[in-house]
Amino acid sequence: MKLLTTIAQHAAVSPEQTAFRNGEDAISYRMLWDRSDRLAALIRNSCQLERQTPIVVYGHMGTDMPVSFLACVKAGYSYIPIDTSIPMERVRLIVEKSGAGLVINTTDSDLGLDNIAVLYTAALQLEQVEVIDRDLWVKENEVFYIIYTSGSTGNPKGVQVTAANLQSFTDWMTSDFPLEKGKVFLNQAPFSFDLSVMDFYPALQSGGTIHALTKDVINKPKQLFENLSGSALEIWTSTPSFVQMCFPNPDFNAEMLPELDTFLFCGEVLPLAVAKELKARFPEARIFNTYGPTEATVAVTSIEITEELLAKEEALPVGRPKPDMRILVVDETGNPLPDGEKGELILVGPSVTKGYLGEPLLTGKAYGIVYDMQAYQTGDAGLIKDGLVYCQGRLDYQIKLHGYRMELEEIEFHLQQSDYIKSAIIIPYAPEEEIEYLIAAVVPEANDFEKEYQLTAAIRKDLALRLPAYMIPRKFTYHFTIPMTMNGKADRKKMKEEVFA
Amino acid sequence: MDFKEKVLQVIAEVCEDDVVKEEHDLDIFEAGLLDSFATVELIVQFEEQLGINVPITEFDRDTWNTPNAIIDRLNELK
């Protein structure tokens, strides 16, 4: 695989170059290559797993995360990255459902998992030198990584991305964007979120350095800006929400980050106002908007946001398709629509992944074959005008909140599991084009709490066991009933009116 | 409304939860009431509603973690 071969070359030619750093630790290309080889050999020799068995890699942004990812694929296995922000119950569910054969734990905490081998990287000596034969590396049509996304039935689903999918994406990034060799890339997203892939593999293939921000740094604005000031960042990769979060600091500009020349956005709508503000603060930098679901390997469209585009004062397009991809807009019956008409976006070509792990029914519903190529039905509403793709929300209850993708039905499913709740629906609060937070409209069970806020606190506690923090609603409102539509479904529109009344 | 009540009102509005008006020593980050995005909103509201400018670089989760702590810090900046 070209990606791995290229990383090997960087390790040979510039061994001391930093591949990855997180503010505390750093790892060079030589160490990354060497340690991942040794770990790959250890996994092969000690675990006797069948080829392509998924391996869970658990942790936050330690240097053992990249080592473990490469170790898995060098030994012919796929990996499932799981960030420490994911609650244990969900981790257990993913381990079970994926049929993982091993958990590599890069943290010190005990995950309390039974019936599965757990390898702690901190305790490993890895002294035995053993070079892994390249014939063992994950092959083109084999799975490279699996990322779990929110599922509407309450269970997360694992998107299987092949080596060929990832290679196609990485080649596009390094050739169609100004990512010259040896640049410093920002990594803001946790590894369980595929926005991290947007900087991680393009950086490694181009011999660059990944500068990762840990959640502790992001949570403390003072540390965050000190960190950024000393980062020498050249390529910024984040959600629009994250860069927006930096705006209240007036010093966040080209003076703070003089080397920064490229912004890459993905994961949610890039609001016009954010792009304008950014141009004012970083007049020399180029800004790129991109779009794509995890099922089509991170991103499949791109466009440079120029002054000319900003001057139009219109909603920003997500851009033109990646050259080897075709994007169609279809109506409800699947018939292609002419230019400018709104429908569902269908993605066709080599970026489309293999489907959901162990879920043939779900895969069959969303994936198919068009023009003899793999195709994915996004559920995103959109249109194409003059060759540019515009996104216009969802056709179902999937949403993006600060770049995190989630199914409202999954949150509702977990709310209903709580003993305090009879029924509940989630209403996104979106005063303008983006969602600011979620509101849970709840019909409570009888309870002994004196005040509503005590009930809310109890429900929050319940939810935190099962859902990541970003999926927990900010506001809870209480009601006697949930209004129904004529055909017996929850009437979201009416409920919304009631909540905002 | 005195200053303390005004501050509590602002925090309650941003957290969308009246618990902060009752439990002044509740750690609002640990309770999951405030994330990084809402933190920014809170700072904006201090400026808009109270006329106090809190430089974002001064905001530290460890010392701005409870309603009481926030009132103390704002009193220092007033």
Side-chain angles (χ1 to χ4, degrees), chain A residues 429 436-438 460 473-475, chain B residues 6-18 20-21 28-29 32-49 59 70:
Chain A
Y429 177 65
E436 283 190 9
Y437 57 83
L438 301 179
R460 277 180 191 284
R474 186 179 311 168
K475 182 172 177 172
Chain B
K6 272 193 210 156
V7 175
L8 291 175
Q9 181 60 32
V10 174
I11 306 173
E13 271 172 30
V14 174
C15 293
E16 296 286 0
D17 201 319
D18 283 341
V20 295
K21 291 183 182 168
I28 52 177
F29 294 102
L33 291 173
L34 214 60
D35 59 19
S36 318
F37 300 100
T39 304
V40 171
E41 177 64 18
L42 189 64
I43 292 172
V44 171
Q45 292 306 321
F46 287 151
E47 168 100 54
E48 279 186 9
Q49 297 195 34
F59 194 97
I70 293 173

Side-chain angles (χ1 to χ4, degrees), chain A residues 232-244:
Chain A
L233 278 182
E234 294 169 290
I235 315 287
W236 178 287
T237 319
S238 82
T239 56
S241 290
F242 181 74
V243 82
Q244 220 174 339

Side-chain angles (χ1 to χ4, degrees), chain A residues 187-225:
Chain A
N187 181 74
Q188 164 252 324
F191 289 118
S192 45
F193 180 10
D194 79 341
L195 173 60
S196 64
V197 174
M198 187 169 238
D199 51 81
F200 193 80
Y201 289 110
L204 292 183
Q205 179 154 302
S206 61
T209 297
I210 299 145
H211 180 89
L213 296 177
T214 62
K215 62 175 191 294
D216 288 341
V217 169
I218 292 177
N219 281 341
K220 294 194 170 174
K222 195 176 175 174
Q223 276 194 36
L224 171 63
F225 292 112

Side-chain angles (χ1 to χ4, degrees), chain A residues 396-409:
Chain A
D396 55 15
Y397 301 119
Q398 188 188 100
I399 57 144
K400 282 283 180 95
L401 176 61
H402 300 141
Y404 288 103
R405 160 177 161 181
M406 57 194 88
E407 300 280 352
L408 295 184
E409 289 152 302

